[in-house]
Amino acid sequence: MFFIMNIIGLLAFAVVGSFKAIKEGLDLFGITVLGTMTALGGGITRDLLVNNIPNALKSITDMTVALVGVWLAIVLYKIFKGEFKNRYFILIPDAVGLSAFTTTGAIIAYNAEVSFFGIVILATLTGIGGGVISDVLLGKIPTVLRDDFYASCSIIGAVAFYLAIQSGVSLNSSAFICSVVVLMIRILAILYNWRLPKFS
């Protein structure tokens, strides 16, 4: 389950990061950097927090898949350039990536035998980390900090994962529950424009 979710997350976030770079007018190098960092940033942060050498540095698979995602984004942009301004062009693959990476973060956290809060934090960081890094590289306040119902989806998914595990559900089934919960809540948030309250 981890391998499949990791591949899905890498591809989805590499595409999202590359789309962001294209939208900002970056060149091919900038597109590649932003695409790969969006794909790899959350997982690297997670691995460092559990005292592991980041998988992206140990295996050629993660970087290869991320680069394939960058290439795929460029091809999709060339084919669907006229549709590129449609917000769903970025939001849907981003929702898929958030779902997949929240799940991989929850699995790694569970295997590291951290607490309930550790599972929630690591799952959420894995899900949102790459997007935060890409926003910082673009000189923007990370979207997750100022608007949109985004990180909350990861938190809810991680809680669902923990509750499933504590109820005796298998790891793979708990991971599946986590991914479905995150994806469904994120899609609902996109469709109905959910926002957390502001106080300014």
Side-chain angles (χ1 to χ4, degrees), residues 56-75:
L57 303 181
K58 292 192 295 183
S59 167
I60 65 169
T61 303
D62 284 13
M63 182 61 78
T64 301
V65 173
L67 291 173
V68 168
V70 171
W71 174 83
L72 178 61
I74 293 171
V75 171

Side-chain angles (χ1 to χ4, degrees), residues 8 45 85 124-125 134 143 152 169:
I8 292 171
T45 304
K85 290 185 178 180
T124 304
L125 279 176
S134 68
T143 303
S152 304
V169 178

Side-chain angles (χ1 to χ4, degrees), residues 138-160:
L138 290 172
K140 298 179 176 181
I141 297 173
T143 303
V144 68
L145 298 180
R146 56 187 170 83
D147 59 17
D148 220 344
F149 196 81
Y150 192 78
S152 304
C153 303
S154 287
I155 293 170
I156 294 168
V159 171

Side-chain angles (χ1 to χ4, degrees), residues 1-2 4-10 12-13 46 94-107 123 126-127 175 178-180 182-183:
M1 180 62 111
F2 176 86
I4 295 172
M5 288 289 106
N6 193 50
I7 295 297
I8 292 171
L10 287 168
F13 272 167
R46 173 203 66 216
D94 187 58
V96 172
L98 182 69
S99 168
F101 272 173
T102 299
T103 303
T104 63
I107 293 171
T126 308
C178 176
S179 64
V180 170
V182 175
L183 184 60

Side-chain angles (χ1 to χ4, degrees), residues 86-99:
N86 187 324
R87 72 188 193 113
Y88 296 113
F89 214 75
I90 291 178
L91 290 178
I92 296 303
D94 187 58
V96 172
L98 182 69
S99 168

Side-chain angles (χ1 to χ4, degrees), residues 2 46-47 50 52 103-114 122:
F2 176 86
R46 173 203 66 216
D47 290 343
V50 294
N52 287 336
T103 303
T104 63
I107 293 171
I108 292 293
Y110 173 76
N111 289 333
E113 299 181 345
V114 298
L122 288 174

